[in-house]
Amino acid sequence: MPEKLRVVCPNCDATNAVPADRQPLSAQCGRCHEKLFKGVPAALDGARARKHIRNSDLPLIIDFWASWCGPCRAMAPIFEQAARTLEPQARFIKVDVDANPDIASEYGVQGIPALLVFKNGQVVTRQAGVTDLGTLRSWAERFGS
Ligand code: ZN
């Protein structure tokens, strides 16, 4: 039996088992039939982000941000570029801390932007402040295998 990777749908949060030897960029969700990777960050609320954290075999890179935060606006295009170029090695998620204070405090987010990397449900690395594309890439490579 081929090895399978659990990929959580960015549209409906269903957990899909994708054969690891198939090209995941073309895979579609078994429930909602949207593409599992769209090359854009998924904007999720706390409850949805927790489902991804719990069920994803891929590393998740979550950008905790807020609309009033200038450095967060500087981070946004870098994060979008990362999603466009680094999927499906990692899943890129944005969480608005003003709308979702619970998950931000659960993971000890104080200053924003804060970038947290999750693997197998755990925080494996984190960085506060604007983070460059090279760092995001190094995380996707380090935790993506
Ligand atoms: Zn779906």
Side-chain angles (χ1 to χ4, degrees), residues 23-43:
Q23 177 51 257
L25 279 179
S26 58
Q28 292 180 334
C29 176
R31 184 198 280 168
C32 74
H33 308 295
E34 293 276 325
K35 286 180 73 175
L36 289 175
F37 295 96
K38 299 178 174 186
V40 292

Side-chain angles (χ1 to χ4, degrees), residues 36-145:
L36 289 175
F37 295 96
K38 299 178 174 186
V40 292
L44 303 181
D45 64 19
R48 294 189 62 194
R50 284 192 187 86
K51 281 189 200 168
H52 285 248
I53 291 169
R54 198 164 54 234
N55 296 326
S56 177
D57 286 335
L58 294 174
L60 307 179
I61 301 179
I62 303 188
D63 176 14
F64 288 88
W65 72 289
S67 58
W68 47 264
C69 153
C72 297
R73 287 196 292 274
M75 184 69 224
I78 301 168
F79 203 65
E80 284 163 15
Q81 193 181 357
R84 195 162 59 240
T85 57
L86 299 174
E87 283 187 352
Q89 270 184 299
R91 166 78 71 208
F92 294 83
I93 293 171
K94 287 175 73 101
V95 173
D96 181 333
V97 298
D98 283 344
N100 303 282
D102 290 0
I103 190 169
S105 78
E106 179 181 342
Y107 290 106
V109 171
Q110 290 169 336
I112 51 172
L115 282 294
L116 273 68
V117 186
F118 293 82
K119 175 83 176 180
N120 301 324
Q122 305 290 326
V123 178
V124 289
T125 193
R126 62 194 299 154
Q127 183 162 312
V130 176
T131 298
D132 63 29
L133 185 63
T135 301
L136 298 173
R137 180 183 295 114
S138 73
W139 289 342
E141 287 170 357
R142 186 161 136 216
F143 301 111
S145 51

